Amino acid sequence: MTFDVNAFLIILTGTLIAISCGLLGSFLILRNMAMIGDAISHAVLPGIVLAFFFSGQREGIAIIIGAGLLGILATIIIDYLSNKVKLQNDASIGVTFTWLFAIGIILITVFAGQIDLDQDCVLYGEIAYIPLDLIVTENNTILGPRVLWIAVINVILVLLYVGFMYKELKLTSFDRQFAQTIGFSTSFINLSLMGMVSYTTVSSFEAVGAILVLALLVVPPATAYLLTKKLKPMLLLTILIGFLTSLIGYYLAYFIDGSIAGAMASVSGLFLLVAIVYVTLQKRTSRKPIAMPTELKA
Amino acid sequence: MEDFVYFFSFQDPNVAMVVAGITLLSISAAMVGTFTFLDKKALLGDAISHAVLPGVCLAFMFAGSKNPYWIVLGAFITGAISTYAIEWISNSTKLKEDTVIAAVLSVFFGIGILLLTQLQQTGDAALSGLDHFLFGNAISIVYEDLMVYGILALLVIICILVFYKEFKLIIFNPSFAESVGLPVKRLKLLFNTLLVMAVVTGIQAIGVVLMAALLITPPAAARFWSNRLHVILMLAVLFAVLSGIAGAFISFAVPHMPTGPWVVMAISFIAFASFFFAGKKGILSKWYNQRNYQQKIHRDHILKSLFQALEKNSKTLEKDEIMEYFPGKEKLTRTYISKLEQENKIELEGEKLKLTPSGLVEAKRVVRLHRLWELYLAQYLNLAPDHVHDMAEKMEHLLTPELEAKLDASLDYPTQDPHHSKIPRDNDL
């Protein structure tokens, strides 16, 4: 196979997005908040559409702010419903995000023709068109694909966030009460994580769509979580799986001529399946000799 | 308006068919959803509804056209696999259930999208309306669809009614169900099958992305109106049918408008209205009760301060003195003083406050309850006399006349509290 610049750009963008999502997703699943990730990835839609409509442009800070606000609003509504209204937690999540997502879809249909956004883009993004959409400066220098730059900025910010907040995130994820006791503001850390998840969702939205972001948020970290017991290896493994997902996903989509984002989600699922099978088999073979004496004692 | 009359007079047989279909599927979704909601598995429905997409696409590839039998079969198979996968993975690995649900949901949906886009590349998927399975299009329901989806929905409804008692038992008290010899495992399997079927019936009218809302939101809304299962069930069905028909009407009246989002808008509206305005559990009535209670406390405290002044032999109390008892609550205190005056519990003599005879009775009661409770804590719980005041501060507003009588009797009608203050009686001075 010869070196294909387009393929390289798409895989690179996919990898960067998978890394941003995976790093944040690791903390989500450690905090048992995977479905909050689902809720946020659906709920940012109306923010994107409205910001798009009012600012009239696809790129730019307006969309990120609009969607970020909606993401945080969604977590606040969920929190309000389950703590103040006393609706059970899973239903609070379900009610909130389906409602916000429905608003988003209705807005897209109402504004159809006025904005360059459609239902397909919402569902699976347009990562395949990345190489066509270039940033060109005034003196005609081509700076490379716009969406790639967005992904680069996103991944830098996520790395900075995780780097600076590593201790806080780790402690609040594993021992919330202890973290509170020694004076960490758990609600601030939580809200900042939700803010980063919302921002990453939006930033990845154009490339992979609102729903498949969830696959990148949850599946590679879940795979890594099964294979290791320490946080740092888990994060590194997540990054590796993110890269492989992007690479193999691209060629799968290429060969069966389908959506790259869909293929990436499918491949990440395959990795998870392999990890599950591996772990269960290992448990079965290692269990017998160790488990016997403790059972006898009991 | 014309649309409205045309739609709801059902003169068009197609409209009648659409309404019949959406009614049936709303009923079956709400019924199944109520049980999953009460079983705290609401998000399982979300996962299944996303997971039927690959099945729909595979059926389309297999049959080569939009054949409802194949589509229902395909959707059912991948939906069932996802349910089974979620259960298996959360039981056999250390992954938490919500992580598993999110992972299965997104991976199945990803596979579905991959297949869907592949079909779209090859040509006629969009033309034949495969897109409608994403966000729903109730108006596209034709006779053949109605027969397939309607009968499936009817089957779900009948099964739920037949096994109503059993399902109720395995959700509220699974260990008891097992002990009375119910085949819990098989019933759970049956229930999961019905859950997948209920999702499948909705895919054409509501769409796979938002079908979960029809399972989750109606029971969530209904739960705020009642604590009884059969009432919740009926209300959930009512809410779901209303919003289903509303959604169908809007996508009928506005061209190119998908049905699913509007059904969700309608049901969410009902849900939020229930959260705020429902009888006893709504936010508004909770807020109102809380405020009433706080008002009663403040009122009691003003009366009490006047009575304590009386005990120190001053029949009146300066308004400013009372204000000082409640720092930071000057405005509230002023309101209550004028309220108490209107109720003829206190009299104002210039700037001095005085209890009226009926105010005195009430003030005595508050103080009596406080001191009785202190005595009770000291005598029966052996608490030190200097530890009982704070708890009595709370109880003095809560004790009912019946409890007061019992308390009094069990303490043998005492005259003094642990601090040797007199317990005031109605027939004292």
Side-chain angles (χ1 to χ4, degrees):
Chain A
M1 214 174 286
T2 52
F3 181 74
D4 180 346
V5 181
N6 287 351
F8 172 74
L9 288 175
I10 292 171
I11 293 168
L12 179 64
T13 313
T15 306
L16 293 178
I17 291 172
I19 290 172
S20 313
C21 289
L23 288 177
L24 296 174
S26 301
F27 292 103
L28 280 185
I29 72 164
L30 288 174
R31 291 159 171 256
N32 298 334
M33 290 172 82
M35 288 311 280
I36 300 272
D38 182 28
I40 290 180
S41 67
H42 282 78
V44 295
L45 185 60
I48 294 174
V49 182
L50 284 176
F52 201 157
F53 182 71
F54 286 115
S55 73
Q57 51 187 346
R58 240 190 146 114
E59 50 261 40
I61 204 82
I63 293 209
I64 300 225
I65 292 173
L69 286 180
L70 255 291
I72 290 173
L73 180 71
T75 49
I76 292 172
I77 296 177
I78 291 171
D79 218 41
Y80 179 76
L81 287 184
S82 53
N83 293 332
K84 287 274 152 39
V85 182
K86 306 276 180 212
L87 181 64
Q88 65 194 45
N89 189 258
D90 59 342
S92 307
I93 295 176
V95 169
T96 308
F97 84 78
T98 51
W99 174 58
L100 289 172
F101 194 70
I103 294 178
I105 295 294
I106 290 170
L107 288 175
I108 285 185
T109 322
V110 171
F111 294 152
Q114 293 170 53
I115 54 173
D116 177 26
L117 245 189
D118 56 14
Q119 294 174 359
D120 291 352
C121 171
V122 172
L123 287 170
Y124 47 81
E126 292 171 334
I127 199 171
Y129 305 126
I130 284 174
L132 303 177
D133 182 7
L134 302 170
I135 299 180
V136 183
T137 57
E138 277 169 28
N139 46 14
N140 282 333
T141 340
I142 295 174
L143 289 177
R146 191 173 54 80
V147 179
L148 176 61
W149 282 108
I150 293 177
V152 169
I153 295 169
N154 184 220
V155 89
I156 291 172
L157 289 177
V158 169
L159 284 171
L160 285 176
Y161 173 75
V162 173
F164 275 112
M165 301 282 282
Y166 185 74
K167 215 193 322 168
E168 286 84 353
L169 285 169
K170 186 176 174 180
L171 203 57
T172 48
S173 300
F174 286 104
D175 197 339
R176 198 189 159 85
Q177 270 163 356
F178 178 63
Q180 242 159 357
T181 324
I182 62 168
F184 282 0
S185 165
T186 46
S187 58
F188 169 74
I189 293 165
N190 211 23
L191 214 58
S192 72
L193 181 64
M194 294 305 118
M196 286 306 284
V197 171
S198 310
Y199 158 56
T200 304
T201 308
V202 186
S203 162
S204 321
F205 170 82
E206 260 188 83
V208 294
I211 299 177
L212 295 176
V213 167
L214 181 64
L216 298 178
L217 273 174
V218 175
V219 185
T223 314
Y225 178 73
L226 281 177
L227 298 174
T228 168
K229 279 184 179 149
K230 286 197 170 155
L231 183 57
K232 264 200 188 120
M234 176 176 159
L235 294 178
L236 293 175
L237 202 56
T238 302
I239 291 174
L240 179 68
I241 296 169
F243 163 67
L244 291 175
T245 298
S246 174
L247 181 74
I248 303 173
Y250 172 79
Y251 286 104
L252 175 65
Y254 180 78
F255 282 117
I256 72 167
D257 200 5
S259 144
I260 297 170
M264 281 171 71
S266 312
V267 171
S268 70
L270 193 68
F271 279 123
L272 180 62
L273 184 68
V274 171
I276 291 168
V277 171
Y278 171 74
V279 170
T280 6
L281 286 182
Q282 213 182 28
K283 227 198 284 178
R284 243 172 242 176
T285 47
S286 65
R287 188 189 283 158
K288 280 172 201 161
I290 303 168
M292 278 296 277
T294 48
E295 269 174 17
L296 282 176
K297 227 189 244 170
Chain B
M1 194 61 215
E2 245 172 70
D3 279 342
F4 190 81
V5 174
Y6 182 82
F7 186 85
F8 286 101
S9 60
F10 305 127
Q11 47 185 298
D12 185 338
N14 287 321
V15 170
M17 212 150 58
V18 166
V19 171
I22 208 145
T23 305
L24 280 174
L25 83 89
S26 304
I27 297 174
S28 75
M31 284 175 100
V32 174
T34 302
F35 284 99
T36 47
F37 169 83
L38 293 172
D39 202 17
K40 307 226 163 23
K41 290 204 165 126
L43 292 172
L44 185 61
D46 187 35
I48 298 173
S49 65
H50 282 77
V52 296
L53 184 62
V56 171
C57 296
L58 283 173
F60 189 88
M61 283 175 176
F62 218 71
S65 68
K66 206 189 93 187
N67 174 324
Y69 300 99
W70 282 103
I71 282 178
V72 163
L73 185 71
F76 181 81
I77 290 173
T78 50
I81 292 174
S82 73
T83 324
Y84 181 75
I86 288 170
E87 201 160 304
W88 177 65
I89 299 172
S90 25
N91 286 338
S92 63
T93 69
K94 60 176 179 171
L95 289 173
K96 301 284 181 318
E97 192 176 23
D98 69 326
T99 306
V100 177
I101 289 180
V104 168
L105 178 159
S106 55
V107 169
F108 273 70
F109 196 73
I111 298 172
I113 289 295
L114 182 64
L115 296 172
L116 183 73
T117 43
Q118 201 273 337
L119 279 170
Q120 278 169 341
Q121 295 294 335
T122 56
D124 54 4
L127 292 174
S128 59
L130 200 57
D131 278 4
H132 291 159
F133 286 99
L134 291 170
F135 296 110
N137 189 339
I139 301 309
S140 71
I141 291 180
V142 294
Y143 181 72
E144 202 184 13
D145 300 326
L146 178 65
M147 281 299 116
V148 176
Y149 297 109
I151 287 173
L152 211 56
L154 213 55
L155 204 67
V156 173
I157 296 167
I158 292 168
C159 274
I160 294 273
L161 290 177
V162 169
F163 292 100
Y164 177 78
K165 255 193 199 156
E166 284 81 356
F167 288 150
K168 186 176 169 180
L169 206 53
I170 57 172
I171 277 165
F172 288 112
N173 201 342
S175 43
F176 177 70
E178 212 147 357
S179 71
V180 295
L182 280 180
V184 173
K185 266 194 183 158
R186 257 180 286 167
L187 281 169
K188 278 197 171 152
L189 189 69
L190 173 67
F191 184 78
N192 279 343
T193 313
L194 293 178
L195 174 60
V196 178
M197 266 162 69
V199 169
V200 171
T201 57
I203 53 176
Q204 183 167 4
I206 315 292
V208 299
V209 181
L210 289 168
M211 186 56 202
L214 209 55
L215 292 167
I216 302 170
T217 315
R223 184 70 187 81
F224 278 74
W225 295 97
S226 173
N227 286 326
R228 308 184 68 89
L229 177 61
H230 64 270
V231 182
I232 296 176
L233 204 61
M234 279 189 283
L235 278 175
V237 165
L238 177 73
F239 294 160
V241 170
L242 283 178
S243 33
I245 294 176
F249 169 69
I250 289 169
S251 61
F252 167 80
V254 185
H256 306 300
M257 192 51 96
T259 315
W262 283 102
V263 174
V264 176
M265 287 306 284
I267 190 63
S268 302
F269 177 76
I270 295 176
F272 282 105
S274 302
F275 299 158
F276 286 101
F277 304 114
K280 279 182 195 151
K281 290 186 193 160
I283 278 287
L284 222 59
S285 78
K286 262 192 212 159
W287 179 77
Y288 180 76
N289 288 339
Q290 212 166 17
R291 218 184 64 140
N292 266 359
Y293 179 61
Q294 269 163 355
Q295 290 180 350
K296 183 182 178 317
I297 291 178
H298 204 70
R299 202 185 119 101
D300 286 355
H301 283 169
I302 295 176
L303 289 172
K304 200 166 73 171
S305 64
L306 280 168
F307 182 81
Q308 279 162 348
L310 204 61
E311 283 186 319
K312 288 173 197 150
N313 286 325
S314 85
K315 293 210 162 168
T316 57
L317 208 55
E318 291 280 336
K319 218 174 186 177
D320 291 343
E321 274 183 275
I322 292 204
M323 294 296 185
E324 277 166 29
Y325 284 130
F326 309 107
K329 289 185 176 173
E330 284 78 9
K331 203 180 151 207
L332 202 68
T333 313
R334 208 164 292 136
T335 337
Y336 280 101
I337 288 175
S338 57
K339 256 194 193 170
L340 282 166
E341 200 194 349
Q342 275 168 22
E343 291 172 31
N344 202 23
K345 303 282 180 197
I346 53 174
E347 287 172 329
L348 263 178
E349 289 172 0
E351 282 296 292
K352 289 182 178 204
L353 296 172
K354 192 183 160 211
L355 284 165
T356 62
S358 78
L360 182 64
V361 171
E362 209 173 309
K364 271 183 184 174
R365 180 162 187 269
V366 177
V367 175
R368 183 165 67 239
L369 289 176
H370 181 101
R371 294 185 179 161
L372 279 175
W373 190 255
E374 283 186 336
L375 193 61
Y376 174 78
L377 289 177
Q379 265 191 18
Y380 283 88
L381 298 182
N382 287 327
L383 289 182
D386 57 341
H387 275 62
V388 292
H389 176 78
D390 289 343
M391 283 178 261
E393 271 300 290
K394 287 178 195 147
M395 289 305 285
E396 67 188 24
H397 313 289
L398 296 172
L399 291 171
T400 58
E402 294 81 15
L403 273 172
E404 185 196 343
K406 280 202 167 176
L407 202 58
D408 222 354
S410 68
L411 292 167
D412 202 19
Y413 307 99
T415 54
Q416 282 193 333
D417 78 352
H419 314 292
H420 306 292
S421 303
K422 193 177 169 205
I423 294 177
R425 302 283 171 188
D426 281 346
N427 46 6
D428 302 347
L429 288 173

